[in-house]
Amino acid sequence: MTYYIKADKFFYPYHTLSGGYLEIKEGKFGKHRQEVPKDAEVKDYTGYWIAPGLVDTHIHGFDGADVMDGQSELLDKMSQGLLRGAVTSWIATPLTGEHGRLREVCEAVGNYKPRVTGAKIQGLFFEGPYFTAQHKGAQNPAYMTDPNVQEFENWNQAAHGMIRKIAVAPEREGSIEFIRALTKRGITVALGHSNATLAQATAAVEAGATVFVHTFNGMSPFNHREPGMVGAALSLPNTYAELICDGHHVHPTAAKILIQSKGAAHTVLITDAMRAAGMPDGDYMLGEFPVRVEGGAVHLKEGDSLAGSVLMLKDAIKNVVDWGIATPEEAIMMASLTAAKSVNIDDRCGQIKEEYSADFIVLGPDMQLSEVYVDGERAI
């Protein structure tokens, strides 16, 4: 089946096309053309923009479900729910946990046979357990250990090779050797939940680490005499910096500084959402910790520190535009192509490109989400 999308703008990876028609053929993107055959089926989105489906590379939960639940029906629930946030591809993210439990989660994701109508799980991101207790955030330090390649191999085997990314604190013993070993295997290594100095973070990047986890949060802050992990994120070239733009985790001015420093090609908008995302305010659990959701923010009940988010990625791209710190093109790039590139899945998602699955979103000029398509079929 072939049809054509008519719209005001089409957001391609490195340029925006105005007007015309985008061909959708057998669930894949086709060519962009100025005219279509006389008898062609046309979906008319005049007044709207067409962008690639968003890619969330750091997300724990949604709609009351969590990756750590380790249940395929709940993964399905998340995949369906994430469409409401304009997400068509995501990286399932477990928390630091008991190491045997993490293997069970790997098996659940590795064996998951998704419904094709929801957002697509493109891999796993292990946020931990190789962190420092000093910047534990809402993760349990009881399970934090030094990096171990054999342990990682066991997890990845259970996940049928689906682990795309793992985060470590570079000051942990053996981290440099671990980073080198995993980078050789094609795994993306990220740095986070760490008290590392600039020198330690730089050594980790030189060993192959390429991503900074939710920049500014859970890392040694910038100081003019010791720039720390934040200084490394801002200054080291050819690295990606994750950013939570919900207005609670990072001040808009700090977000602006990061985007100005890294550019849209190296800033990755993420949600770090937990199970209460898409749900009403109230009391929830994040891993083993009770949390309270109120006014768009999640706080630990004990200690009151931020504990993940309830952000939807569609709101993150709207926020950075509304804050005046990114253009619509930059916002979309940071939540699609750049996100996909940061974990090496840009060969299958994150861009409008011929022969790619037709996963795309329909936006109004005010950045409000209107519709979502997966494999060329309207899903929302």
Side-chain angles (χ1 to χ4, degrees), residues 33-192:
R33 32 182 107 224
Q34 291 306 313
E35 294 183 5
V36 296
K38 216 167 28 180
D39 56 347
E41 181 188 343
V42 175
K43 294 183 189 289
D44 192 346
Y45 287 110
T46 300
Y48 289 89
W49 302 342
I50 305 298
L54 305 186
V55 181
D56 199 341
T57 59
H58 182 163
I59 174 162
H60 302 280
F62 199 88
D63 269 352
D66 192 288
V67 174
M68 287 296 279
D69 295 333
Q71 297 175 35
S72 58
E73 62 269 24
L74 294 181
L75 291 172
D76 222 40
K77 189 177 184 184
M78 285 183 65
S79 286
Q80 295 295 323
L82 282 170
L83 295 171
R84 303 203 312 274
V87 171
T88 55
S89 284
W90 60 292
I91 303 290
T93 310
L95 290 158
T96 290
E98 194 273 317
H99 294 206
R101 175 64 186 148
L102 288 174
R103 183 181 171 85
E104 293 170 12
V105 171
C106 286
E107 287 173 348
V109 175
N111 294 324
Y112 173 55
K113 298 293 184 283
R115 275 197 274 166
V116 292
T117 52
K120 301 164 183 175
I121 296 183
Q122 303 284 10
L124 277 154
F125 165 36
F126 257 51
E127 195 191 3
Y130 306 139
F131 291 153
T132 178
Q134 286 156 295
H135 287 282
K136 65 182 186 293
Q139 309 221 32
N140 192 336
Y143 304 123
M144 292 179 182
T145 55
D146 292 330
N148 183 308
V149 174
Q150 186 56 55
E151 185 173 52
F152 171 83
E153 292 284 16
N154 290 337
W155 285 326
N156 206 18
Q157 189 177 18
H160 303 304
M162 282 188 68
I163 301 179
R164 311 284 325 180
K165 176 171 71 165
I166 186 167
V168 300
E171 68 270 31
R172 294 224 64 134
E173 193 173 334
S175 64
I176 298 301
E177 296 80 5
F178 180 83
I179 293 166
R180 283 202 193 104
L182 265 66
T183 301
K184 279 182 186 170
R185 289 163 170 78
I187 308 296
T188 297
V189 180
L191 306 177

Side-chain angles (χ1 to χ4, degrees), residues 41 57 64 73 111 134 148 154 194 196 212 217 228-229 231 235 241 261 279 322 336 348:
E41 181 188 343
T57 59
E73 62 269 24
N111 294 324
Q134 286 156 295
N148 183 308
N154 290 337
S194 164
F212 290 89
N217 300 114
M229 183 77 91
S235 66
S261 174
M279 302 282 284
D322 288 351
S336 57
R348 70 197 74 165

